[in-house]
Amino acid sequence: MRKIYSLALGLIASVVFAQDGAPATPYYNGFNFNQSGMALKNALSTKITTTHINELSYSPGVWNALKVTDQDPDNPGFVLLLYGFSESVCPAGSSNDDDHRRRNANNNGGDPNCEWNREHVYPQSLGTPDLGQEGAGADAHHLRACDVDRNGQRGNKLYTTGSGNSGNSGSGWYPGDEWKGDVARILMYMYLRYPNQCVPTNAVMGNTVTSDPNMPAILLQWNAEDPVSEYEDNRNIYLNNANNAWGQGNRNPFIDNPYLATLIWGGPVAQDRWGINATDSFFEAKLTVYPNPAANNEINIYSETNLEEIQLINLNGQLIQQIQKPKAVNNTYQLQNLPDGFYILKMTSGGQSAAKKIIVN
């Protein structure tokens, strides 16, 4: 047992060290990133709400903001259009141009002939209450430049699975391979910023994660599969600066680091831009334990490889629980009825082991 105890102490040190990754931006100075699960969700929600000091008007404020924030990094003077994919140039007077990827920034309005307008990524009518044209309805982190026709085609259809370019998918709407990560990070931001008004399940089809019935699992998948682009970074940086003409003062933390979503909700391991999950083990990199601290004395383990054994070890080195050949549902294992305390959760697969410190309270 002493050997296990020594191992446990070493594992605690390594897990704590792995949480030492930190963002470069001073926006997060003093923020406690030694949190996960709902504690981290609530702390980030408070952060992005209290720093949102400039409320934009829907018109002209959002129009002017999008002309700056949505500029194509490779084509100054043009805005990128959400859901768009064609690289051809919009012909003057053409009405058959709804698949285009960019527009002249000054061609904004409601005309389907080569103009763009404001897409509510979270549909305006699906908010509880309706988002309107102020507050959530005028939050520039949420609104994106979009072709007029394509915006109308999407309407208020719920997002759903698909592949390739954007378009209808069954009765829902697939945002496209290029844009699905953007959409996921925007909807997660809106959930934290307006937690009662912008519940993700009201805008997205599909199963939800075990730890949060409001979070569709597909958003975590999209967040992991589509990494952050320079375009998203540029938007985030501009809107964060409250001294900019159309800056709000707050940021979308899931653009800063998509892995924050993994820490909160679990699911596929997303891009970790701060090295929070620094590890040399491929097996460990594909593991997520959530929520942590545990909720309702339950812990979930998401693993992209089949686990052969799970051990729960207390800080005295005692083996509290051991499960061999555990069964998973959608790559997720669940431990229930855990006693309160601090533990090391040791998982084994294919001759490799990984450990996570967990708290049950």
Side-chain angles (χ1 to χ4, degrees):
M1 298 301 290
R2 181 173 296 276
K3 183 177 181 180
I4 297 177
Y5 177 66
S6 299
L7 173 64
L9 290 179
L11 291 172
I12 291 171
S14 66
V15 172
V16 171
F17 179 77
Q19 298 292 324
D20 285 344
T25 171
Y27 179 77
Y28 296 102
N29 283 353
F31 188 88
N32 178 17
F33 281 105
N34 291 317
Q35 304 177 83
S36 60
M38 295 303 104
L40 178 58
K41 171 182 172 288
N42 294 336
L44 285 172
S45 177
T46 298
K47 178 69 175 178
I48 65 176
T49 300
T50 57
T51 55
H52 188 175
I53 58 177
N54 292 333
E55 298 273 351
L56 302 182
S57 64
Y58 188 62
S59 183
V62 171
W63 280 126
N64 292 328
L66 297 187
K67 289 178 182 180
V68 177
T69 62
D70 288 22
Q71 281 196 48
D72 182 349
D74 299 323
N75 294 275
F78 287 77
V79 292
L80 288 178
L81 306 179
L82 187 71
Y83 313 138
F85 51 88
S86 172
E87 294 292 343
S88 61
V89 177
C90 177
S94 170
S95 60
N96 185 25
D97 64 344
D98 64 341
D99 60 350
H100 287 185
R101 191 169 175 272
R102 61 177 57 85
R103 282 281 186 285
N104 186 298
N106 293 317
N107 285 358
N108 62 293
D111 192 330
N113 297 321
C114 286
E115 286 193 342
W116 61 270
N117 62 5
R118 298 157 295 188
E119 159 70 330
H120 294 77
V121 177
Y122 192 106
Q124 193 172 17
S125 63
L126 298 183
T128 49
D130 183 296
L131 303 190
Q133 296 186 357
E134 59 183 19
D139 191 321
H141 279 294
H142 154 235
L143 292 153
R144 293 285 288 266
C146 185
D147 172 82
V148 173
D149 279 345
R150 203 151 193 80
N151 194 344
Q153 288 175 24
R154 189 270 166 125
N156 66 354
K157 295 185 184 79
L158 274 61
Y159 292 108
T160 190
T161 56
S163 63
N165 295 324
S166 64
N168 293 317
S169 180
S171 61
W173 180 262
Y174 179 63
D177 292 351
E178 180 181 1
W179 305 107
K180 62 185 180 181
D182 302 50
V183 165
R185 289 181 279 274
I186 287 172
L187 293 182
M188 290 188 290
Y189 163 86
M190 292 295 281
Y191 181 32
L192 267 61
R193 177 62 185 86
Y194 311 96
N196 297 317
Q197 191 174 13
C198 296
V199 177
T201 46
N202 290 343
V204 184
M205 297 180 182
N207 297 328
T208 60
V209 300
T210 305
S211 61
D212 186 347
N214 293 325
M215 177 51 60
I218 189 65
L219 294 186
L220 301 177
Q221 180 182 332
W222 288 351
N223 179 51
E225 291 177 346
D226 179 21
V228 173
S229 65
E230 177 187 1
Y231 170 61
E232 290 179 89
D233 276 331
N234 290 343
R235 298 186 94 253
N236 214 21
I237 292 168
Y238 181 89
L239 292 172
N240 171 216
N241 190 344
N243 293 321
N244 287 332
W246 315 108
Q248 296 186 171
N250 64 346
R251 299 178 72 92
N252 182 336
F254 304 107
I255 291 175
D256 288 325
N257 193 1
Y259 184 66
L260 295 175
T262 309
L263 288 176
I264 295 172
W265 294 291
V269 178
Q271 177 187 19
D272 181 7
R273 305 180 81 188
W274 300 339
I276 293 175
N277 191 38
T279 177
D280 294 329
S281 167
F282 177 81
F283 168 55
E284 186 173 356
K286 297 299 181 181
L287 280 173
T288 306
V289 176
Y290 66 97
N292 191 9
N296 301 318
N297 296 91
E298 297 179 356
I299 283 284
N300 300 295
I301 305 167
Y302 177 88
S303 175
E304 295 184 15
T305 60
N306 291 328
L307 297 184
E308 297 165 1
E309 185 179 60
I310 300 172
Q311 293 183 358
L312 187 70
I313 304 168
N314 69 15
L315 296 191
N316 292 322
Q318 295 173 310
L319 185 61
I320 303 301
Q321 191 173 141
Q322 182 179 31
I323 306 173
Q324 295 183 336
K325 296 182 179 180
K327 297 187 181 299
V329 177
N330 297 324
N331 297 103
T332 301
Y333 303 82
Q334 188 175 71
L335 302 184
Q336 299 177 317
N337 302 317
L338 300 177
D340 292 352
F342 293 82
Y343 300 96
I344 296 299
L345 191 62
K346 182 181 177 183
M347 297 145 287
T348 303
S349 177
Q352 289 187 304
S353 293
K356 303 283 185 181
K357 183 181 74 171
I358 66 169
I359 302 171
V360 181
N361 54 28

